[in-house]
Amino acid sequence: MFTSQTSSFQDSIDVDERDDFDSEDIPGYSQKIQLNCYYTIYLYEGTRSEASGENVSWNQRRADSTTSQEDFSLTLVDSSLPSEAEPELRTYISRRLSKGALLGGMGNIATVELSIPEEAVGCYCCLVEHERSPEQPDVDGNGYVICFMGGSEKGLNLFRLELDKYVQGLHSSLQTPELLNLETEVRPYLSRWFEESVMHIYRVVQLVQSNISFLLHAALSQTLVDVINSDERTKADVSRFIKAASLQGLSQQQDSTAASLCKAMSEDTQSNLVIDCSVSPPTFVNTVTNRFCDGWIQAFLNASEHCNPFLLRQILENFKLKAIQDMNSLKRFVRQAEMSHYALFRCCQFLQACGNGDVLLQNARAEHSDLPEACSIISVLEEFLGELSQAQA
């Protein structure tokens, strides 16, 4: 029974990701992919909003780049798309706006067909509205529509939160329709969207290589990670990787468990994982891993070798999903073990087979800290894992 569970885990690495991503959606599972990435920014104006004379002249200079609907106008500000493809995108965005499909501050991802080499690409678009005046709270809002294009709809959906956050980082720079900071601030920022929002997981795997299991274990066990002798970008990349790989924030119950776990670990004076980037490859101090995390190393390395950031993110999501499934199985076994010695035996077998027993029991103890009977079961299981570890040493 438990051998088959372990086998299905390996299948989830070897098959599921390939089925999802070795397709026309995201090319290049078996070869390195080279993605062309584009951006476009439009000025959005509600037709009932009062425009200053300066705004009017600004729009007149861009008359050929404006699409007008009954309730709004959409004016091109800047784009990296080929000239023949931009009007096609503007038409698509206008249709979305006319249907009310773009809400302020909320990104929307879909597939668009444009006159570019890829023909069909994933498109993230978000309406960033200007702050409304307290004197005129009901007047139709103005703002900007920001579009990022590259990869596939499925791939971009994996990075929706990162893209939303990246657009929010531009909000303070988009409060005037003239955009005098276009050349110095806005355009460079938009041009970096793919590197900053999508490629961070790829950069981390490239940096640590087979040591990725140490980061995976740290993420699951809520171990703090210190990156030293490194630039700020690398520190931010590692921090974002740990956040993406951890289970914290998936539910209120898990939030509470994570908080209890962090408190328990700080009281236990457990050492942080330290990554020293003063040499290449980096050195690691206070490393901890297990068979479960080690089992995912090759999947990450393969996707990294093929330069496929979307596949890397999908593997990371499947890693988390498998960990959650095992946690739920352990909780079920613990409840059964309170009434059955056979269930306790099955629980021991499960922990031995899954290869992630230390992390699962750590989380289970934090979650069941106020349940004496469950804590007793967990203590027995911890003793079992300790004896098993000594026997294998």
Side-chain angles (χ1 to χ4, degrees), residues 358-390:
D358 57 331
V359 171
L360 298 183
L361 288 176
Q362 197 175 47
N363 281 274
R365 178 169 287 282
E367 184 171 344
H368 296 87
S369 58
D370 57 343
L371 300 174
E373 291 186 6
C375 285
S376 297
I377 297 296
I378 292 170
S379 295
V380 172
L381 296 172
E382 288 172 337
E383 291 179 11
F384 166 77
L385 277 189
E387 293 174 358
L388 183 64
S389 178
Q390 289 178 0

Side-chain angles (χ1 to χ4, degrees), residues 221-224 248 255-270 362 365-367 369:
S221 60
Q222 303 295 326
T223 299
L224 297 178
Q248 190 172 355
D255 274 342
S256 176
T257 301
S260 300
L261 183 55
C262 289
K263 181 179 178 181
M265 291 176 61
S266 62
E267 293 174 351
D268 195 31
T269 64
Q270 180 166 338
Q362 197 175 47
R365 178 169 287 282
E367 184 171 344
S369 58

Side-chain angles (χ1 to χ4, degrees), residues 189-390:
Y189 189 91
L190 293 174
S191 300
R192 296 192 302 268
W193 75 267
F194 190 79
E195 284 292 317
E196 298 299 329
S197 300
V198 175
M199 293 297 288
H200 54 286
I201 295 176
Y202 171 79
R203 288 194 296 267
V204 169
V205 178
Q206 283 283 292
L207 175 71
V208 303
Q209 293 294 308
S210 59
N211 292 323
I212 193 69
S213 60
F214 300 143
L215 291 182
L216 296 174
H217 190 276
L220 289 184
S221 60
Q222 303 295 326
T223 299
L224 297 178
V225 179
D226 295 329
V227 182
I228 61 176
N229 299 318
S230 172
D231 55 51
E232 293 302 317
R233 185 187 200 184
T234 299
K235 292 179 180 179
D237 283 347
V238 172
S239 176
R240 293 168 72 189
F241 181 92
I242 293 295
K243 184 176 181 180
S246 76
L247 306 182
Q248 190 172 355
L250 295 182
S251 70
Q252 291 182 349
Q253 184 179 23
Q254 286 172 343
D255 274 342
S256 176
T257 301
S260 300
L261 183 55
C262 289
K263 181 179 178 181
M265 291 176 61
S266 62
E267 293 174 351
D268 195 31
T269 64
Q270 180 166 338
S271 299
N272 297 350
L273 173 64
V274 179
I275 306 176
D276 185 353
C277 296
S278 60
V279 295
S280 181
T283 58
F284 287 72
V285 181
N286 301 326
T287 57
V288 181
T289 185
N290 58 26
R291 185 159 40 88
F292 175 76
C293 295
D294 289 344
W296 292 84
I297 293 175
Q298 198 57 51
F300 279 97
L301 293 181
N302 289 344
S304 175
E305 181 181 348
H306 299 139
C307 302
N308 195 328
F310 303 117
L311 179 59
L312 278 169
R313 185 53 176 266
Q314 184 62 64
I315 291 172
L316 191 60
E317 293 300 320
N318 283 11
F319 165 81
K320 292 166 59 176
L321 177 60
K322 180 59 181 174
I324 292 171
Q325 291 173 340
D326 286 349
M327 283 187 197
N328 290 336
S329 296
L330 178 61
K331 285 191 287 187
R332 185 174 68 253
F333 285 138
V334 168
R335 288 195 301 267
Q336 295 171 353
E338 294 176 8
M339 300 174 289
S340 166
H341 288 294
Y342 176 68
L344 179 61
F345 170 72
R346 292 179 62 203
C347 196
C348 291
Q349 283 189 312
F350 170 75
L351 290 173
Q352 183 177 4
C354 74
N356 199 26
D358 57 331
V359 171
L360 298 183
L361 288 176
Q362 197 175 47
N363 281 274
R365 178 169 287 282
E367 184 171 344
H368 296 87
S369 58
D370 57 343
L371 300 174
E373 291 186 6
C375 285
S376 297
I377 297 296
I378 292 170
S379 295
V380 172
L381 296 172
E382 288 172 337
E383 291 179 11
F384 166 77
L385 277 189
E387 293 174 358
L388 183 64
S389 178
Q390 289 178 0

Side-chain angles (χ1 to χ4, degrees), residues 8-32:
S8 64
F9 150 65
Q10 188 61 44
D11 290 343
S12 73
I13 301 177
D14 295 337
V15 178
D16 291 349
E17 275 81 335
R18 183 163 64 248
D19 289 344
D20 286 341
F21 289 93
D22 187 17
S23 64
E24 295 179 359
D25 291 347
I26 297 181
Y29 180 88
S30 59
Q31 59 185 4
K32 291 187 177 182

Side-chain angles (χ1 to χ4, degrees), residues 130-139:
H130 290 161
E131 295 179 2
R132 299 192 180 189
S133 169
E135 292 79 17
Q136 295 179 304
D138 297 327
V139 72

Side-chain angles (χ1 to χ4, degrees), residues 41 62 77-78 178-188 190:
I41 178 171
R62 292 163 172 79
V77 177
D78 194 37
E178 295 81 11
L179 280 193
L180 299 178
N181 58 347
L182 175 63
E183 296 281 349
T184 60
E185 189 174 344
V186 175
R187 180 178 294 160
L190 293 174

